Structures are given as structure tokens and as C-alpha cells.
Amino acid sequence: MLPFLLLLAAIALPPKPDHYVTDRAGVLKNATALNEKLANFERQTSDQILVYTDQHLPPDTTIEEMGSEAMRQWGVGQKGKDNGAILFVVTGDRKMRIEVGYGLEGSLTDAKAKWITSTVIKPEFQRGDFDAGINKGVEAMMATVRGESYRGTGRTVAQARRSEGIQYWQVALIIGFLLIVILPAFAFIVVALLRKWITLGSLGSSNSGTSFTSSGWDSSSSSSWSSFDSSSSSSSSSSSSSFEGGGGSGGGGGASDSW
């Protein structure tokens, strides 16, 4: 048991990526377009597929070790579903692997993963076209994974969590608005009416209505709310294709290959 734990501790795993596509080997012609395609795939299916390229494996690490540890540490796939997969391509070591989460084993089996690496990706790599091999491999992975029963929510995990954060801010803003503006104004009205009722005079009756309605808090708060909404929406849309792990706990299989 101890040697196994020491082996895991020795794996120098790269940090968790913040996008679906990480091209450290510099072999993709349009990583942004592929990233957006995989973000849309998560929105539609809830499944997460990542692409990770590099020139070399971490020291003293196999691609199988890297794949299983990345699935766990990066949290690929949703918690409880483990519906994620990663395509690793290590150009300098001439190795690749499709790591598959437990929840996708029913569709993206070891045999199908091997078929994708050996018949879809490898021929392109042998011709020196890494871009074509990766894009065709991703298309094959998505087509295979669509056989699972998972359905998407129309948002990625990253978008959903940002949306939750915005909702909390909105609630806090409403509560603060009530405490700071409406309650003092309500108290002012009550005091003014009581004074009018007790004294039966004109003091307070000439100013209580006009001073409250002319203060302008209603229009200014409305514009403040609109400004908050637009800025939040802009922030969300500008990073709509970011990756955030859903809490997956591990990979269940896959296939390795070389060329």
C-alpha cells in the first residue's frame, strides 16, 4: 500500500485547466473553435470532454497514471455521474490516451476508445497532421458519448455556478435596499402621520408627502439595478466557454496508443 501511495505522490500532474482545450504542444490551428464546440457539447448533454496536449509526459509518469489522476484531481464530469473524458496527446513521446469516466463506460467503452485512437486519430498523426487527428477524434468521441442517457441543462458547470453567484448578489442587494431605503422611509411616514394625528395641526402635513416623493430614491435605485444586471451578464458571456470540473471522482477505463 505504501509504495502505491508514494507512486501517486510522485506524479507531477499539471494544474487543472480552465478551458476544455489545453494545447501546450501548439499543434491545433483553432483551439478556440474546438473549445467552444466542447462547451456546447456540455450544455447539450451535461458530459464534459477535455483535450490536453503537451510535448512530454511529467517525469517518471506513464500516460495511464496521468490520465487517471487528472480525472480525479481535475474533477472531470459531474459529481455522482463521472460523465467526463479526456483526450491526451503527447507529441514528443508519441503517445495518446482517451481516459473515460465511470459514467461514460456504457457508451465510450475501452474497445470503442481503442478504435478511435487506432483508426481515426493515428492515421492523421502518422501523416503529421495533429490538428486533423485531434478534431476527428473529438468528433468520434462526441458521437459515441451521445448514446448515454444524460441530458444537458443548456449551461456548463462554470456558467451555472456563476449564475448562482449572481443570484446571491441579487438577494443581498434586495435585502440591503430594503434595510437602507424602504424601512427608514416607512418609519418616517409613520412618525409623520402620528405627529399629525396627535397634534391635529398642520405641522408635518405640508411636507410629509412631497419630501418623500421628491427624494428620487425610486428612479435611482431602478437604474442601479439595471446597471448591476448588465455588468453581470457581460461578465458571464465573456467567459461562457470556460471549463470548471463538475466534481467527478475518477476514470473507469479508456485506451492508450502510440504512432
Side-chain angles (χ1 to χ4, degrees):
M1 183 67 180
L2 182 58
F4 177 73
L5 293 176
L6 291 175
L7 177 63
L8 289 182
I11 297 177
L13 191 69
K16 176 181 175 180
D18 54 7
H19 287 83
Y20 298 85
V21 178
T22 303
D23 184 21
R24 298 184 66 179
V27 295
L28 291 171
K29 296 177 181 177
N30 194 341
T32 301
L34 183 57
N35 189 81
E36 181 59 33
K37 179 184 293 186
L38 292 175
N40 283 330
F41 184 72
E42 184 189 344
R43 296 183 189 107
Q44 296 166 7
T45 66
S46 81
D47 304 317
Q48 295 182 337
I49 295 180
L50 271 61
V51 174
Y52 193 95
T53 78
D54 207 339
Q55 294 183 349
H56 297 286
L57 288 165
D60 302 318
T61 303
T62 66
I63 197 167
E64 291 80 12
E65 291 169 345
M66 182 179 180
S68 61
E69 276 298 287
M71 291 291 291
R72 183 179 65 84
Q73 292 190 29
W74 296 349
V76 183
Q78 293 186 353
K79 186 175 182 179
K81 293 182 179 179
D82 292 319
N83 53 333
I86 309 174
L87 171 60
F88 290 97
V89 176
V90 186
T91 58
D93 298 328
R94 304 177 71 87
K95 294 182 181 296
M96 61 175 145
R97 178 170 177 80
I98 295 178
E99 187 73 27
V100 183
Y102 298 118
L104 296 184
E105 282 189 298
S107 57
L108 190 54
T109 62
D110 293 357
K112 290 181 180 178
K114 186 66 174 181
W115 180 84
I116 292 172
T117 60
S118 62
T119 66
V120 177
I121 302 177
K122 183 188 288 188
E124 299 295 342
F125 284 8
Q126 290 175 333
R127 285 191 285 268
D129 196 341
F130 290 102
D131 181 76
I134 291 171
N135 277 277
K136 289 181 178 180
V138 168
E139 288 288 349
M141 290 173 67
M142 291 192 299
T144 304
V145 167
R146 287 186 189 277
E148 287 290 349
S149 59
Y150 305 129
R151 292 295 178 267
T153 62
R155 295 185 295 180
T156 66
V157 170
Q159 285 177 306
R161 289 180 179 171
R162 276 194 298 272
S163 178
E164 290 173 0
I166 291 173
Q167 291 173 9
Y168 295 147
W169 277 105
Q170 290 174 340
V171 171
L173 187 62
I174 292 172
I175 293 174
F177 179 77
L178 291 173
L179 292 175
I180 295 174
V181 178
I182 293 182
L183 290 182
F186 180 75
F188 174 78
I189 294 174
V190 171
V191 170
L193 291 176
L194 286 175
R195 290 176 61 186
K196 177 181 178 181
W197 179 73
I198 292 172
T199 61
L200 296 179
S202 61
L203 291 178
S205 63
S206 61
N207 294 326
S208 62
T210 56
S211 62
F212 173 72
T213 57
S214 62
S215 61
W217 64 265
D218 193 27
S219 61
S220 65
S221 64
S222 175
S223 62
S224 175
W225 181 264
S226 299
S227 174
F228 175 82
D229 273 347
S230 62
S231 63
S232 300
S233 175
S234 174
S235 174
S236 176
S237 63
S238 64
S239 54
S240 62
S241 297
S242 299
F243 165 75
E244 187 167 338
S249 59
S256 301
D257 216 328
S258 59
W259 65 94

